[in-house]
Amino acid sequence: MSSELEPETVYDMVLVDRENDVRVVTKQLFRLYTLRKLGRPFKPVIPFGPHLFGSGKTKFVQSYWELVNNMGESALIGLDYVCESKKANRRGFLEKLKRASLLYADLRRLKPTVPIEFFRNLKWAVYYLLITAACSQVGAEILRKKEAFEKVDMEPSNLVPLLRDILRIPSDQYLLIAFDEVGVLDESLDEFHFKRTHDGRVRPYNDFIGIISQLCKEPDLFFIVVGKSEGLNIYNYVASVSRVQLVFIPLSPLEKHSIMEHLEKSSSFLFTGSPKASEILCHEDFSTSELAELLLELTGGVPGLLVRAISYLLLYKSSNNNFSLSKETFLIIMNSFPVTNYCVAPFLPRLISLSEQRKRLLRMLTLLSLYRIRFDFDETVQISSNSDVFLFDLVTDMCLYRRLVIEPDRNERYEVLIPKLLIGYIDQGLKDDRLEWLLLQTLKSQSVEFFYESKCRILEGLIATLFYLHFSRHPTNSSMFSTLSQLSRVWNEMNLQFSSESAAYYMKSIHYTRTVSGTERMTFGSNDEWERIVEEILEFEKIYIPFHSTFHSPDILFKLHGRTNEKNLMIVGIACKGRWSRNVHDQVLTSHPTWHCMLIIMSTQLATNVSEDLNHSSRCYSSGDGVGEFLIPHNCELVILSEADVENFIGKDILSNLRNAFKSVDNPHSRNIGISTLQEIVLSLSKNI
């Protein structure tokens, strides 16, 4: 769509839920102010936002001054306790900050400039960029390069007064300079003379931050730097070489309540009287809460995707006055190709240019996102035999997002976020990567919170994925297929497979509730409920994973067809955490008059090692066999797999590492599991394609 339909031309986007980001920035500006007052050498502090498109970084820096004024003293909440005199000092700083002048500088306009002897000098280019930005901001005539150079003479003490003169602000008024699009420095290696390290490498960010560091010595001058970049790599190098401390601005994706606030406060220019977006799009039968939930599901709360989605809905409504939005119409509109293309357009150049090496790493990042596995700030990933990269930076480099999570112990960790709007376009570049396609389709088919709090969910997902890959492609080569064929005559005779590619949308949560004493709870104890689930399986090609597993439910549930006769069906349930109960009939699926039902219990020691009762060997109980006091019903089988057979299927090291990671915590982070284990899982899954 043309630029005239960009979001800013459709509605007034009110910034919400950035109070914590304001506090982070304000605290660091106050630290710089305090360090300068000490009158001795100091290490400058600069707030830094290394984010990809859509994080809201530009809108944030441009609105920072307004946000500080709206928040008042709460903009500095979070500083340690101080005495009354220091409180007064803090209040004085905040009052001056409210009256500060903000100068916005877009580094995409950074170009080599005359005089010729300084043509490729980065420092002069940055200085002249600030001069032209100041002139443009107040509508003044742009200073000629030669005149500007003569006035500044490459000295910070000359540049700052010149900027103040252009902006018409007094010498004691705070000047806050916001540099945006710092990522362009990645593409400027041929344009400027950068310093080289002892091993011949160029570090453009170090040169740039060094220039700001010199300016930080000037009184009443402050900086914010944002843009697409390898933030953590820059953070570490700048700290050690330039002696500058960069402090990250979180700029996390929005949650549902914040999306609701955005809808209720933002107004559209397309409608008479500029009503709020919520008033235009919502009505008695479709609430703001419902719309916010759908938008969160689609965009992941990423501001750039969110505002484009809302913008299109408003455009659609303005041209279809009788149109009434509902969940069904929302999904129809937003899943259409033109709309998706409009929403993700700024991402496309990055998405279609991923290297083969990066595409291979995408599988691991998708696993992290799918299972909500958290990672630490400084965690690294090996991308080649002699090269590591920070996972924090890799997420940005791959055009994905990070979600900051503050854990109960106050540790800060991150999760990989892949918005559903992006999945279709990532798919297009991975048509030959069956595994990544499968993982992405699974991620696309599930709700945002699906895997969030369920213990061992990664193990269940791994086993479900392995089963799908085994039985949709080459089951005769599968170790699990061979084991089950030896144990079960019925399994062997049916020559089973998944019926079609549609099984790729393979995970679906079962989330039934039953009222007990006036309250709702999860339940799988009713045969009627199991019958409904089984009937749905017979109709659709899905692999089901219960939302909450209990002794009454398998962890995984799916349907297989006979390879030679598709009318032969088997319903398979898997208890993959090794749960064992002598009342095993509570777990065996409902007996069906025609279709065969099998429950597979896998020994993993994540709970009870069930195969100890069988001398560590696998066994199949068929119809009519007794298990304790229970008789296996007609058309049913119970298979108990030994840990040795499970290890052979999954991989001994993988199973051992997962067991160690999950034995004490419900939601381990990647260091518990190990990035190497995740890469082994990807390799193991890839072998089955």
Side-chain angles (χ1 to χ4, degrees):
M1 295 188 178
S2 64
S3 58
E4 65 191 38
L5 296 182
E6 288 298 294
E8 57 269 19
T9 68
V10 175
Y11 79 110
D12 178 24
M13 298 167 285
V14 174
L15 205 60
V16 297
D17 197 27
R18 288 294 177 233
E19 289 80 6
N20 182 56
D21 301 299
V22 170
R23 293 186 187 104
V24 169
V25 171
T26 307
K27 180 178 179 179
Q28 305 317 316
L29 300 184
F30 182 69
R31 285 180 62 196
L32 178 59
Y33 160 81
T34 304
L35 289 168
R36 269 199 294 243
K37 287 191 68 175
L38 295 176
R40 55 175 182 260
F42 62 89
K43 187 176 183 178
V45 182
I46 301 172
F48 181 41
H51 300 279
L52 197 63
F53 162 82
S55 61
K57 58 189 182 303
T58 298
K59 182 75 171 176
F60 174 76
V61 296
Q62 290 176 335
S63 306
Y64 172 74
W65 176 80
E66 180 184 347
L67 291 168
V68 168
N69 275 273
N70 291 340
M71 289 177 64
E73 287 198 20
S74 65
L76 265 176
I77 288 177
L79 289 180
D80 297 333
Y81 174 79
V82 293
C83 63
E84 286 302 320
S85 61
K86 290 185 177 179
K87 282 184 180 179
N89 185 37
R90 189 175 68 180
R91 283 194 294 269
F93 164 79
L94 194 56
E95 285 304 312
K96 287 192 69 174
L97 186 62
K98 290 179 183 179
R99 300 191 298 272
S101 179
L102 175 67
L103 174 60
Y104 175 79
D106 188 339
L107 285 167
R108 288 176 296 185
R109 298 192 175 97
L110 183 70
K111 301 293 180 186
T113 189
V114 294
I116 195 64
E117 61 270 27
F118 288 95
F119 185 68
R120 298 185 65 191
N121 184 289
L122 179 66
K123 181 178 178 180
W124 169 236
V126 170
Y127 280 15
Y128 190 66
L129 172 68
L130 291 174
I131 293 168
T132 57
C135 292
S136 298
Q137 189 164 300
V138 296
E141 184 180 351
I142 304 296
L143 281 180
R144 290 180 294 109
K145 298 178 180 67
K146 183 178 180 182
E147 180 186 357
F149 182 80
E150 290 173 350
K151 288 187 175 184
V152 172
D153 195 25
M154 299 293 283
E155 291 295 330
S157 57
N158 294 332
L159 172 67
V160 178
L162 176 59
L163 293 176
R164 291 182 178 280
D165 286 345
I166 296 171
L167 295 169
R168 306 183 190 101
I169 61 173
S171 59
D172 62 346
Q173 183 174 336
Y174 288 171
L175 175 57
L176 175 60
I177 297 176
F179 282 109
D180 196 2
E181 299 294 347
V182 69
V184 300
L185 293 173
D186 289 324
E187 304 160 9
S188 60
L189 299 184
D190 297 329
E191 293 185 327
F192 298 102
H193 289 302
F194 292 108
K195 297 176 184 176
R196 292 192 175 272
T197 62
H198 65 279
D199 57 357
R201 287 194 291 176
V202 169
R203 302 276 189 175
Y205 292 98
N206 191 58
D207 292 48
F208 175 70
I209 297 297
I211 294 167
I212 297 178
S213 176
Q214 295 174 352
L215 289 167
C216 282
K217 298 173 184 177
E218 297 300 309
D220 300 327
L221 184 64
F222 304 89
F223 294 91
I224 304 175
V225 178
V226 298
K228 301 179 282 289
S229 59
E230 292 188 350
L232 189 50
N233 191 40
I234 297 166
Y235 171 92
N236 288 334
Y237 195 80
V238 164
S240 62
V241 177
S242 299
R243 291 191 52 78
V244 173
Q245 183 180 357
L246 301 177
V247 178
F248 287 122
I249 311 169
L251 293 177
S252 294
L254 302 180
E255 300 297 340
K256 178 183 172 181
H257 69 277
S258 301
I259 297 175
M260 290 179 63
E261 183 183 357
H262 178 77
L263 290 166
E264 290 166 350
K265 290 184 176 179
S266 301
S267 54
S268 175
F269 319 122
L270 301 178
F271 299 84
T272 304
S274 296
K276 306 302 181 188
S278 58
E279 297 170 352
I280 299 165
L281 299 173
C282 302
H283 47 83
E284 186 178 24
D285 297 322
F286 186 65
S287 67
T288 306
S289 175
E290 290 175 282
L291 177 57
E293 191 168 336
L294 288 169
L295 287 167
L296 175 62
E297 192 74 27
L298 189 72
T299 68
V302 174
L305 290 174
L306 178 69
V307 298
R308 293 179 84 83
I310 294 172
S311 174
Y312 189 87
L313 290 172
L314 291 169
L315 285 167
Y316 193 91
K317 176 68 175 177
S318 69
S319 59
N320 299 271
N321 194 45
N322 295 326
F323 166 71
S324 181
L325 194 61
S326 65
K327 179 177 180 178
E328 291 72 25
T329 55
F330 175 92
L331 294 174
I332 291 171
I333 293 170
M334 300 311 297
N335 286 328
S336 66
F337 180 78
V339 181
T340 304
N341 188 55
Y342 168 69
C343 292
V344 306
F347 291 86
L348 295 184
R350 189 82 169 187
L351 287 172
I352 62 178
S353 63
L354 288 177
S355 67
E356 288 302 315
Q357 186 182 59
R358 289 297 196 261
K359 287 178 182 178
R360 288 193 294 271
L361 289 170
L362 185 58
R363 295 171 173 178
M364 185 196 69
L365 293 176
T366 309
L367 278 177
L368 286 169
S369 179
L370 184 60
Y371 302 119
R372 302 289 287 270
I373 301 170
R374 296 168 185 175
F375 64 91
D376 288 322
F377 179 64
D378 59 349
E379 202 155 344
T380 59
V381 179
Q382 187 175 33
I383 59 174
S384 65
S385 58
N386 58 357
S387 177
D388 290 352
V389 64
F390 287 111
L391 186 52
F392 185 94
D393 290 341
L394 180 63
V395 173
T396 301
D397 190 48
M398 297 287 284
C399 203
L400 307 178
Y401 284 86
R402 296 175 299 267
R403 179 190 285 109
L404 175 64
V405 179
I406 310 295
E407 298 191 328
D409 60 4
R410 305 307 299 166
N411 281 331
E412 293 186 356
R413 292 194 172 94
Y414 296 87
E415 293 173 348
V416 178
L417 172 63
I418 306 180
K420 291 187 179 182
L421 271 174
L422 292 184
I423 289 175
Y425 285 90
I426 297 175
D427 269 354
Q428 290 182 22
L430 301 165
K431 292 187 182 300
D432 297 327
D433 192 333
R434 184 180 177 82
L435 174 59
E436 179 58 27
W437 173 76
L438 177 63
L439 294 173
L440 286 170
Q441 294 304 330
T442 304
L443 187 63
K444 185 177 182 180
S445 69
Q446 288 312 313
S447 63
V448 170
E449 299 300 325
F450 179 59
F451 291 109
Y452 188 49
E453 292 179 343
S454 181
K455 187 172 184 177
C456 306
R457 189 61 78 187
I458 188 172
L459 178 64
E460 297 159 14
L462 169 62
I463 292 173
T465 306
L466 282 169
F467 263 91
Y468 172 75
L469 293 172
H470 278 301
F471 298 116
S472 62
R473 272 298 177 100
H474 44 76
T476 55
N477 297 332
S478 162
S479 62
M480 181 59 71
F481 186 92
S482 176
T483 300
L484 291 172
S485 294
Q486 293 171 25
L487 292 170
S488 166
R489 177 184 57 82
V490 176
W491 183 285
N492 191 41
E493 291 174 351
M494 289 182 71
N495 194 12
L496 297 156
Q497 66 171 357
F498 281 104
S499 65
S500 68
E501 293 293 331
S502 63
Y505 296 87
Y506 74 103
M507 287 189 186
K508 180 174 180 179
S509 162
I510 307 170
H511 196 165
Y512 289 110
T513 60
R514 181 172 63 186
T515 301
V516 178
S517 302
T519 62
E520 286 193 340
R521 67 176 180 85
M522 307 300 167
T523 179
F524 298 92
S526 163
N527 277 340
D528 290 341
E529 288 166 359
W530 276 123
E531 286 173 1
R532 287 203 303 273
I533 294 167
V534 170
E535 288 303 319
E536 189 170 348
I537 288 176
L538 293 174
E539 185 177 351
F540 297 107
E541 301 298 327
K542 298 282 186 183
I543 293 182
Y544 286 73
I545 292 184
F547 195 84
H548 290 290
S549 51
T550 73
F551 280 113
H552 300 292
S553 68
D555 298 305
I556 305 168
L557 193 61
F558 55 86
K559 172 180 66 175
L560 292 172
H561 294 260
R563 190 171 288 272
T564 55
N565 183 358
E566 285 218 354
K567 292 183 178 180
N568 289 336
L569 293 178
M570 178 180 281
I571 307 300
V572 181
I574 302 176
C576 61
K577 291 197 284 286
R579 292 175 315 203
W580 174 253
S581 168
R582 282 297 176 187
N583 297 319
V584 69
H585 61 277
D586 284 343
Q587 285 188 319
V588 175
L589 298 177
T590 304
S591 178
H592 195 280
T594 306
W595 317 128
H596 195 77
C597 297
M598 175 183 284
L599 175 68
I600 302 172
I601 296 181
M602 306 184 97
S603 303
T604 63
Q605 292 187 1
L606 282 167
T608 307
N609 185 4
V610 299
S611 64
E612 287 180 358
D613 293 346
L614 304 173
N615 293 321
H616 301 281
S617 60
S618 299
R619 180 166 177 183
C620 176
Y621 295 91
S622 300
S623 298
D625 290 344
V627 183
E629 299 178 358
F630 177 63
L631 197 68
I632 303 296
H634 176 66
N635 273 353
C636 287
E637 284 185 311
L638 169 67
V639 174
I640 299 177
L641 294 174
S642 69
E643 185 160 16
D645 281 331
V646 176
E647 286 178 347
N648 189 38
F649 180 52
I650 297 174
K652 184 174 182 179
D653 291 340
I654 292 174
L655 186 59
S656 175
N657 290 337
L658 290 177
R659 184 167 60 226
N660 291 334
F662 283 95
K663 66 183 178 182
S664 59
V665 293
D666 287 350
N667 195 17
H669 55 84
S670 55
R671 277 214 170 116
N672 292 125
I673 298 172
I675 290 295
S676 60
T677 299
L678 291 173
Q679 291 178 309
E680 283 181 42
I681 289 173
V682 167
L683 184 61
S684 175
L685 293 172
S686 301
K687 290 177 180 177
N688 292 286
I689 298 175

